[in-house]
C-alpha cells in the first residue's frame, strides 16, 4: 500500500483490475488519491477505498497560454466535467476525509 500512494489514480485502478489481492487487501488501505482527469472519478470504484484521508483533484482548472502581441496571457478556466463529478465522488469519502486539494496539472506533471 505504501508504494501505491505515489501512483496516479488510473494506475491504481488498473492494478486492482489485474490483481484480486490488490483489489481486496491493498486498495482499502490507501489514504491518498490523486485524480488527474474527471473520467477517473467513478462512484463504483470509490467504494473500494475505505481509509482515504487526502484527495488531490488535479483536473479542476485548465490553463492555456495565449500570445497577445508579444505578451503571454494565461487563460484559466474551470473544467465543467470535473465540477459536475467532484461533489458526488468526494461525498463517498466524507467519514474519513481530512484534506481536499483542488488544482491543475501543468505540462511537466
Amino acid at each position: 500500500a505504501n508504494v501505491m500512494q505515489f501512483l496516479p489514480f488510473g494506475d491504481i485502478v488498473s492494478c486492482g483490475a489485474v490483481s484480486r489481492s490488490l483489489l481486496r487487501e491493498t486498495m482499502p488501505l490507501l489514504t491518498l488519491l490523486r485524480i488527474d482527469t474527471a473520467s477517473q472519478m467513478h462512484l463504483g470504484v470509490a467504494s473500494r477505498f475505505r481509509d482515504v484521508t487526502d484527495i488531490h483533484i488535479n483536473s479542476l482548472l485548465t490553463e492555456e497560454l495565449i500570445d497577445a502581441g508579444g505578451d503571454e496571457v494565461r487563460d484559466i478556466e474551470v473544467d465543467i466535467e470535473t465540477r459536475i463529478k467532484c461533489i458526488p465522488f468526494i461525498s463517498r469519502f466524507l467519514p474519513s476525509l481530512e484534506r481536499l486539494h483542488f488544482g491543475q496539472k501543468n505540462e511537466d506533471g
Side-chain angles (χ1 to χ4, degrees):
N2 290 336
V3 172
M4 290 185 76
Q5 298 279 12
F6 301 101
L7 292 177
F9 187 72
D11 292 347
I12 292 171
V13 172
S14 296
C15 289
V18 172
S19 171
R20 187 174 293 179
S21 65
L22 283 174
L23 181 66
R24 292 185 178 160
E25 297 170 16
T26 305
M27 288 174 74
L29 301 176
L30 294 176
T31 59
L32 172 66
L33 297 180
R34 288 185 177 90
I35 307 297
D36 295 329
T37 63
S39 63
Q40 294 175 341
M41 289 188 265
H42 295 287
L43 295 179
V45 174
S47 63
R48 296 283 185 182
F49 301 93
R50 110 184 141 220
D51 293 339
V52 172
T53 57
D54 294 281
I55 298 177
H56 295 254
I57 298 179
N58 299 319
S59 61
L60 183 64
L61 303 174
T62 58
E63 178 182 40
E64 182 181 352
L65 294 176
I66 301 169
D67 185 17
D71 293 331
E72 254 186 22
V73 178
R74 293 175 188 239
D75 183 29
I76 299 174
E77 295 182 6
V78 175
D79 183 73
I80 299 300
E81 187 179 0
T82 299
R83 193 175 84 185
I84 292 169
K85 290 184 172 186
C86 71
I87 299 300
F89 183 77
I90 293 165
S91 67
R92 297 289 177 134
F93 302 101
L94 288 180
S96 63
L97 190 62
E98 295 175 6
R99 287 172 292 282
L100 177 62
H101 305 272
F102 290 104
Q104 71 177 17
K105 288 188 69 101
N106 61 17
E107 297 82 26
D108 300 329

